[in-house]
Amino acid sequence: MNSGIDQIGAVIPARLNSERLPNKALMEICGRPIIHHLLDRVTACKHLTTKNTVVCVTQEKSDDPLVESVEAYGAQIFRGSTNDIIDRFNAAMDHYNFDAVVQIDGDDPLSATEYMNITMDKLLSEPSVDIVTCKGLPLGTAVKSFTRHAMKRVLKHYFSGQNDTGFIYFFTKSGLCKQLDIEPISPDHIFDAARLTLDYEQDFAMFSALLKDIYKPNHLLGLTQVLQYLREHPEVVAINSGLDEDYWDRTREKVDLKFKDKNGTLQRITI
């Protein structure tokens, strides 16, 4: 076991001033804001509660309504840099004294609770590993867990303060951290046609159709159930199909991440 990890938490980056879909975290489905649907899944993780789940927002006044919504749910808030998520996460981990965190994206309201448990369990059991990630899951369901040591290593070497897109690549594509990938634990968790991240109006329409059919208060649906519904309802999958190419084109265009490698040489991450 990793004896250096005592305090565990969750960090979730979120902001309301989004270019493509402003205020998306507070858009409502089934009478509840998107951020509450996500917090349901995060706080269901066996390592997490509302007390150690932190939504990391910006210091911009535009995020004040998001702060109010998160606090009304009972989760925690940290306010930090607008564009430098590495700095925002590091400051949040220092503030809450977390030794390791599950990292969930605020754009992914159906993030897989199962893999929050799995990635943190693996991180706890493998002292030499810095970050545990998922591969092979539908876009918008995967999560990561990483240590405070990994955070400090990235903080020491990163060179791009504008990293709100692609920040995780400092952990996974720089060679600074030892990464372990988790494969899907069930063939039921593999469904490439599903797009479960919230960036466009079509994504919101898809989530609305899905949750209006399957959401039940105080009943958390597992990834198997979510994907089974989508397999049985191709018309829902079709609502936001075809957006992935635009999504990845924009990501490649915006990612401009520089860091100094272990030899002090300036490097650039490309995807």
Side-chain angles (χ1 to χ4, degrees), residues 16-178:
L16 293 183
N17 192 20
S18 170
E19 293 177 9
R20 289 167 291 185
L21 194 59
N23 299 309
K24 57 188 174 183
L26 295 183
M27 295 171 75
E28 291 195 355
I29 301 176
C30 299
R32 304 180 74 224
I34 286 287
I35 192 66
H36 287 196
H37 288 286
L38 174 57
L39 289 170
D40 286 347
R41 305 188 73 79
V42 176
T43 56
C45 171
K46 68 181 183 180
H47 298 288
L48 303 171
T49 68
T50 54
K51 300 300 183 185
N52 62 351
T53 294
V54 182
V55 180
C56 299
V57 305
T58 77
Q59 295 174 334
E60 305 295 329
K61 186 172 179 58
S62 57
D63 278 341
D64 288 355
L66 180 55
V67 170
E68 293 175 7
S69 182
V70 170
E71 290 180 339
Y73 186 93
Q76 310 306 306
I77 282 287
F78 184 84
R79 305 193 79 153
S81 172
T82 297
N83 297 315
D84 190 341
I85 291 186
I86 297 300
D87 180 76
R88 202 191 308 173
F89 278 175
N90 177 68
M93 290 180 73
D94 282 351
H95 180 80
Y96 287 95
N97 199 29
F98 292 149
D99 300 310
V101 291
V102 184
Q103 195 268 297
I104 307 102
D105 290 336
D107 294 344
D108 299 344
L110 290 180
S111 294
T113 305
E114 304 94 319
Y115 290 87
M116 299 177 204
N117 291 328
I118 291 167
T119 57
M120 182 53 73
D121 284 346
K122 182 59 70 172
L123 194 68
L124 290 170
S125 68
E126 299 281 349
S128 65
V129 172
D130 298 305
I131 180 168
V132 181
T133 54
C134 303
K135 63 187 297 186
L137 299 179
L139 181 65
T141 61
V143 299
K144 317 97 177 168
S145 291
F146 58 81
T147 66
R148 191 174 194 170
H149 292 301
M151 182 78 257
K152 295 303 181 185
R153 195 174 304 128
V154 167
L155 186 74
K156 179 180 177 181
H157 288 272
Y158 87 119
F159 208 73
S160 298
Q162 177 85 31
N163 55 61
D164 52 324
T165 298
F167 64 89
I168 199 64
Y169 295 138
F170 283 124
F171 293 83
T172 62
K173 290 183 176 290
S174 66
L176 296 171
C177 301
K178 183 175 179 181

